[in-house]
Amino acid sequence: MIQSNTWRLNLLTSALLITFGAVADDNSANTEIEQMHIFGSKNPINTVPGSAHLISQAEIEKFKYTDIMRTLAAVPGVYVQEEDGYGLRPNLGMRGTGQNRSEKITIMEDGVLAAPAPYASPAAYYFPTSGRMQSVEILKGSSTVKYGPRTTGGVINMLSREIPEAALAGNIDVAKGQDGFGKIHGYVGGQGERIDAVGEVYRYQADGFRDINGVGGDTGFVKNDVMAKIRFKSDKSDKYQQIVELKLKYADEVSDETYMGLTDEDYATSPFMRYSASQKDQMNTEHKQIQLNHIIAFNPDATVSTTAYYNDFHRNWYKSYSIDGDSLSSGGIQTAADFDQGLITTPIEVGVKANNRDYLSQGIQTELNYYLDNHELAFGVRYHEDEMDRYQWADTYQLDTDQIMTRTSSGIPGTDSNRIDSAEAWAMFVQDRFTIDNFAVTLGLRFEDVTTNRLDWGKSNPARDGVADTDIENSFNSVLPSLSATYQINPSLIVLAGVQKGFSPAAPGNADGQEEESWNYEAGFRYQQNAFSSEAIVFIGDYSNMHGNCTAAQGCDDDNIGNQYNAGEVEVSGLELSLGYEFKQNNELSFPVKLAYTYTNAEFGSDFSSDFESWDDVQKGDSLTYLPDDQLYLSVGVQANSWQLTLAGRYTSKMRTKAGQGAIPLNELIDARTIVDLSARYFINDASELYLTVDNLLDETYMTTRVHGSVFAGKPQSATLGYTYNF
C-alpha cells in the first residue's frame, strides 16, 4: 500500500550538492572522510551535551555476548526486560519509557532505523544480531534531536563490521556451550586502492534451557545472519572526495518460543518446564536489507552524506492462544497446568494462531555537515515509509492424555486478522553548535510530519475484495526544539545541561490519533583524568501524554493487539551515574573497575481506565510497570599481557507488573535479583585466543516477566568455551 515519493528527496539532495559544490575548496583532494557515526572526530563523546556512551569493540570482546541486553547492562539509564533468555527479541527502554519490544526508543543499525515498521508498528519483533556488531553507541537527552522518530528516551546505534584497513584481514570465532549452544562467526575483507569489501557470516543456536512436559523437544533457536559491504572510493587526485558503499544483509531464524508461562506454584517447583499445550509454538523469521550510502566531501568543512535503505521482514509466530476456549490471560494457563498435573483426565482443545506478518520499511535520508568559523552546522532530511501487513489464521488441536497434539481443524489464511497498518513520514532537523569562550551551546529543531493509515478487511474477506471495512487515516506534525550547553571548568571537568521536547508518533491503532509528547530536562557533569572517568546526570521527563502499545508480549488479548493507548500525564525523574578506573601494578597487571547506577521514579499524573492490561484502572500517583527504582552494575577485572579475567554483576530492584502504589501484591511482583557473569580469556599469541564465559555464574533462579499472568524464569547458569583466530 506504500507509494514511493523518494524522487522528492533526490531533488533536494541534488540541490544541496550544487549549492555546496559552489563553495568547495580546490585543495580538498586530501580530505579524510570518516564513516558517519553518532560520535567521531567532529563530535567527540567527551564533549556531547548530554548522556553519551560508547561500548567499544574491546568492551564487546570481553564477554562476547550474543544478547544485547547483557551488553547494555553497563550503561546507566537503560532498562532491560528479559524474555527468552537469549536476547532474540530484546525489550529495552531508557529514562522511564518502558521496555516492551524496544518500542519507545530509536534503534538504528549504521544510522538507519532498524525496527520493522518504526512508525506504523513500533514493537520491534526484529532486532539486529548483536553478536556481529563491532560497537554500540548510546545517546540520551537533548542531543537526540538529529534522530527519530522517538526522541524522549534515547537512541541506540549499532555499528556493523567495518571494512578492515589492511589489504586482507579476517577473523574466525567458534564456540560451544551448555544447552546445545553453538556459534560460528567469521569475516574476511580488505581495502584496495579504489575498491574495499568485507563479508561476514554469523550463526548461533541453542536447544534451550526449558523442557516441555511429556513430549520433550527443543525450546531453543537457530539464527543465521549474513552481511556484505562493498565500497568504491574516488581517486585521491579528484577535486571532491567521494565514497559509495553498498551493504547487503540477510538473516533468518527458527525459534521454539511461547507466551505460555507457568503458574506461581509450578514456577516455585519447576521453573524451567513448559506446559505440553505449548509444544507447537514456533517463530519463523526472515529479514532482508539493502543499504546504499554516498558521502561527498567538498572540503574539510563541508560534507554531505546520503543513505537509501530498504528493509523487508517476515515473521510467523505460530503459538498457542487459547486452552479449552479460554484465552491465556483468562484461565487458559491454569487449564494447561491442571492438564499436565493430571487434574484433567480428558483431552483438551488448544487453539494455535499463525501470527503471520510482513513488514516493509524504506526511505532515503541526507545530512549536511558544515563548519563555519566557530559554528558546527548540521541539516538533515528523511523521507520514510513503512507498513505492517497482518494476514493471520488459527488452527485447532486436540491434546490427548498422552500429551500428543493432533490438528482437528485448519484455519484459512486471512480469517483471523486481515489488515494493513502503514505510515509515511517526512522528518527534518537543523542543529547549530557554537562556542563562546568555555561555553559550547547547541541549538536544535526537529520537524516530523506523519500520515498513518489502517485498512482492515475483517475476518470474512480473506481475498480483500472490494473496499476495506475500515479505512482510517490520520495526519499530524510536531515541532521539536532543543537547547543544551556545556561549560568547560578545566581540561578534566565539564558541566552540562539541556532541555528538549520529546515526541513519539501516534500509531494507526491509536483511536484518538494523539502523539506522545513530553518536555525533558537534564543536568550534570562529566569528569575524566588519566585512568579515571565519571559522569553524573539528573533527568526529568514531564509527559503531557504517554503511549502504551498493546502487544502479546504485554499480555494483551488478541482482539486488542496492535492498539495504542494514551495515558495522559506521566512524571519521570532519576539519576544516572557511571564511574570507571583502571588500577595498575608494576606495568604487569591492571585492575579495571566499572560502575553504573540508575535511580528512577515514574508516576502517572491522572486517573483513567484502559484496556491495556498493564495499566488497567490507574490512579494518580501509581507507579509505572516493569520499571525498577534501582539498577546497579559493577564489573571488576584483572588482566596481564597473556590473560584476562572479569566478573560483572548487575542488580535490579523489584518491579511491579500492574500499575499501583504501596506494597506490591505477590501475583504482580517481579522480585529483586543479582546476576553475575564471568569471562576468562587466554591469549595464545597475537592471533589466537581461548575464552570461557559463564552467564549467571551463581546459577540464580529469577523471574523475568508475568506475561498473561504467568511466570517466566531467566536463563540459568550457562558456560561457553570458544576459540578465536585473527589473520
Side-chain angles (χ1 to χ4, degrees):
M1 309 305 292
I2 289 176
Q3 297 179 349
S4 176
N5 290 292
T6 54
W7 64 269
R8 302 176 188 172
L9 199 51
N10 285 328
L11 183 62
L12 177 59
T13 302
S14 300
L16 287 173
L17 296 179
I18 295 171
T19 301
F20 282 87
V23 301
D25 187 342
D26 289 339
N27 298 318
S28 63
N30 296 320
T31 299
E32 292 287 339
I33 302 177
E34 64 178 21
Q35 188 171 344
M36 301 301 291
H37 300 170
I38 291 179
F39 312 124
S41 61
K42 296 288 189 179
N43 185 34
I45 192 170
N46 293 339
T47 63
V48 172
S51 177
H53 295 267
L54 172 66
I55 301 176
S56 66
Q57 183 176 4
E59 288 294 316
I60 290 175
E61 289 294 316
K62 280 186 181 179
F63 283 89
K64 294 181 171 62
Y65 287 134
T66 58
D67 184 346
I68 186 63
M69 292 188 287
R70 279 181 140 85
T71 301
L72 293 174
V75 180
V78 176
Y79 317 95
V80 302
Q81 178 187 324
E82 296 181 46
E83 185 174 328
D84 55 76
Y86 296 102
L88 298 175
R89 279 161 286 283
N91 299 285
L92 303 170
M94 295 183 181
R95 292 188 171 178
T97 59
Q99 300 96 287
N100 179 41
R101 287 289 181 265
S102 309
E103 65 192 5
K104 304 297 287 294
I105 60 178
T106 297
I107 305 290
M108 302 187 299
E109 180 179 336
D110 297 331
V112 169
L113 296 175
Y119 283 85
S121 181
Y125 283 84
Y126 163 79
F127 199 89
T129 304
S130 63
R132 66 173 174 81
M133 297 301 161
Q134 195 163 333
S135 58
V136 182
E137 300 173 313
I138 303 97
L139 186 66
K140 303 187 292 291
S142 56
S143 300
T144 61
V145 68
K146 294 173 64 175
Y147 311 99
R150 289 161 182 82
T151 62
T152 299
V155 178
I156 296 175
N157 186 32
M158 308 180 71
L159 298 169
S160 67
R161 178 70 49 191
E162 293 186 0
I163 298 173
E165 295 183 359
L168 180 65
N171 170 277
I172 297 174
D173 182 5
V174 294
K176 183 67 176 175
Q178 290 178 269
D179 298 317
F181 179 83
K183 178 184 69 174
I184 300 175
H185 178 206
Y187 71 87
V188 62
Q191 298 193 19
E193 186 173 343
R194 298 283 301 278
I195 301 177
D196 313 327
V198 67
E200 184 174 29
V201 175
Y202 194 100
R203 175 188 171 95
Y204 66 126
Q205 62 188 58
D207 295 336
F209 55 87
R210 297 186 175 97
D211 297 309
I212 302 175
N213 287 340
V215 296
D218 291 344
T219 58
F221 69 95
V222 175
K223 187 170 184 179
N224 301 292
D225 200 316
V226 181
M227 189 270 294
K229 293 179 181 178
I230 184 168
R231 183 168 64 202
F232 304 91
K233 301 176 292 190
S234 60
D235 190 272
K236 293 181 179 179
S237 63
D238 289 351
K239 183 177 181 180
Y240 306 140
Q241 294 294 286
Q242 299 187 62
I243 288 177
V244 176
E245 182 178 272
L246 175 65
K247 173 186 173 186
L248 303 173
K249 192 175 77 65
Y250 173 86
D252 60 37
E253 173 197 323
V254 178
S255 53
D256 300 306
E257 284 299 330
T258 183
Y259 279 138
M260 289 188 64
L262 303 174
T263 64
D264 284 86
E265 294 77 14
D266 285 338
Y267 170 77
T269 57
S270 302
F272 304 115
M273 78 169 180
R274 261 177 52 178
Y275 297 133
S276 59
S278 71
Q279 62 187 269
K280 296 295 183 181
D281 290 18
Q282 185 179 86
M283 166 81 93
N284 286 269
T285 75
E286 185 179 53
H287 182 264
K288 303 169 187 175
Q289 182 189 61
I290 302 173
Q291 182 174 330
L292 183 63
N293 305 313
H294 175 256
I295 302 174
I296 180 169
F298 298 105
N299 59 47
D301 296 324
T303 303
V304 173
S305 61
T306 303
T307 299
Y309 56 91
Y310 170 87
N311 287 282
D312 179 273
F313 178 61
H314 168 77
R315 55 148 280 194
N316 187 2
W317 196 341
Y318 193 64
K319 60 179 184 285
S320 303
Y321 77 102
S322 69
I323 311 294
D324 257 3
D326 293 327
S327 69
L328 300 186
S329 299
S330 302
I333 298 288
Q334 187 63 57
T335 301
D338 292 343
F339 180 84
D340 281 3
Q341 291 173 9
L343 301 178
I344 298 176
T345 58
T346 57
I348 61 174
E349 183 181 273
V350 179
V352 184
K353 182 175 295 186
N355 284 265
N356 182 63
R357 305 180 195 177
D358 288 292
Y359 295 84
L360 178 64
S361 173
Q362 62 186 9
I364 184 169
Q365 59 192 35
T366 191
E367 179 177 339
L368 161 70
N369 290 275
Y370 187 53
Y371 302 89
L372 179 65
D373 297 329
N374 69 333
H375 290 266
E376 301 175 13
L377 298 167
F379 171 73
V381 182
R382 178 177 67 213
Y383 175 74
H384 174 92
E385 50 193 28
D386 61 44
E387 71 176 27
M388 176 196 67
D389 187 341
R390 293 169 58 99
Y391 197 68
Q392 302 176 354
W393 64 96
D395 298 334
T396 304
Y397 288 79
Q398 184 182 76
L399 178 61
D400 64 27
T401 53
D402 293 325
Q403 295 176 310
I404 302 298
M405 286 177 65
T406 304
R407 186 184 303 182
T408 57
S409 66
S410 299
I412 299 173
T415 57
D416 186 82
S417 184
N418 185 15
R419 74 168 189 256
I420 295 177
D421 290 349
S422 62
E424 296 183 3
W426 280 94
M428 306 178 189
F429 75 85
V430 59
Q431 181 175 280
D432 180 18
R433 184 177 188 270
F434 58 92
T435 56
I436 305 173
D437 296 327
N438 291 332
F439 280 99
V441 180
T442 303
L443 295 170
L445 189 67
R446 184 176 186 84
F447 174 74
E448 290 267 358
D449 184 83
V450 184
T451 299
T452 64
N453 181 250
R454 168 168 286 187
L455 295 173
D456 194 334
W457 286 267
K459 298 181 179 182
S460 59
N461 184 10
R464 296 178 175 175
D465 294 326
V467 179
D469 295 346
T470 301
D471 185 350
I472 301 175
E473 184 172 287
N474 181 35
S475 296
F476 52 91
N477 56 64
S478 189
V479 178
L480 311 168
S482 69
L483 169 65
S484 58
T486 63
Y487 180 73
Q488 190 89 43
I489 295 177
N490 57 49
S492 301
L493 180 60
I494 291 178
V495 178
L496 58 91
V499 58
Q500 66 158 169
K501 186 178 182 181
F503 167 81
S504 185
N510 191 310
D512 300 324
Q514 186 176 357
E515 58 267 32
E516 179 179 279
E517 291 187 334
S518 62
W519 281 100
N520 306 287
Y521 311 87
E522 63 181 344
F525 69 86
R526 185 179 295 120
Y527 180 83
Q528 290 192 326
Q529 186 173 31
N530 300 325
F532 178 77
S533 63
S534 64
E535 181 180 276
I537 296 178
V538 174
F539 63 89
I540 297 173
D542 185 6
Y543 289 80
S544 57
N545 182 49
M546 174 181 273
H547 284 163
N549 296 298
C550 193
T551 68
Q554 288 280 72
C556 282
D557 286 334
D558 288 328
D559 291 340
N560 294 329
I561 288 177
N563 290 344
Q564 187 179 72
Y565 298 98
N566 301 305
E569 297 179 2
V570 174
E571 298 176 359
V572 180
S573 60
L575 168 68
E576 300 170 356
L577 174 65
S578 60
L579 301 169
Y581 188 70
E582 186 171 358
F583 300 89
K584 292 189 176 182
Q585 180 179 354
N586 300 327
N587 293 322
E588 295 181 358
L589 291 177
S590 62
F591 302 88
V593 178
K594 186 172 184 178
L595 179 145
Y597 171 73
T598 306
Y599 168 76
T600 311
N601 180 61
E603 297 179 350
F604 290 99
S606 59
D607 300 345
F608 66 94
S609 295
S610 171
D611 291 331
F612 188 41
E613 182 172 309
S614 293
W615 292 349
D616 202 9
D617 295 321
V618 173
Q619 296 182 345
K620 181 178 180 180
D622 282 357
S623 296
L624 270 65
T625 58
Y626 286 103
L627 192 63
D629 289 346
D630 300 283
Q631 290 188 146
L632 178 66
Y633 172 90
L634 177 64
S635 69
V636 180
V638 55
Q639 56 190 32
N641 290 331
S642 61
W643 57 272
Q644 182 184 90
L645 183 68
T646 308
L647 285 171
R650 58 189 187 281
Y651 166 80
T652 306
S653 65
K654 62 185 178 181
M655 298 178 287
R656 59 174 69 244
T657 61
K658 293 277 190 180
Q661 303 179 40
I664 305 175
L666 290 179
N667 64 344
E668 300 175 6
L669 172 67
I670 302 290
D671 211 352
R673 60 182 180 266
T674 300
I675 308 299
V676 179
D677 295 340
L678 167 72
S679 167
R681 308 171 67 189
Y682 176 68
F683 306 103
I684 302 170
N685 51 45
D686 291 341
S688 302
E689 173 192 344
L690 190 67
Y691 63 89
L692 170 70
T693 62
V694 184
D695 294 348
N696 195 358
L697 177 66
L698 304 180
D699 201 19
E700 178 170 346
T701 300
Y702 62 99
M703 190 183 301
T704 59
T705 65
R706 285 184 174 273
V707 177
H708 297 292
S710 59
V711 179
F712 282 83
K715 187 172 72 170
Q717 183 187 89
S718 177
T720 301
L721 183 65
Y723 171 78
T724 297
Y725 176 73
N726 298 289
F727 61 90

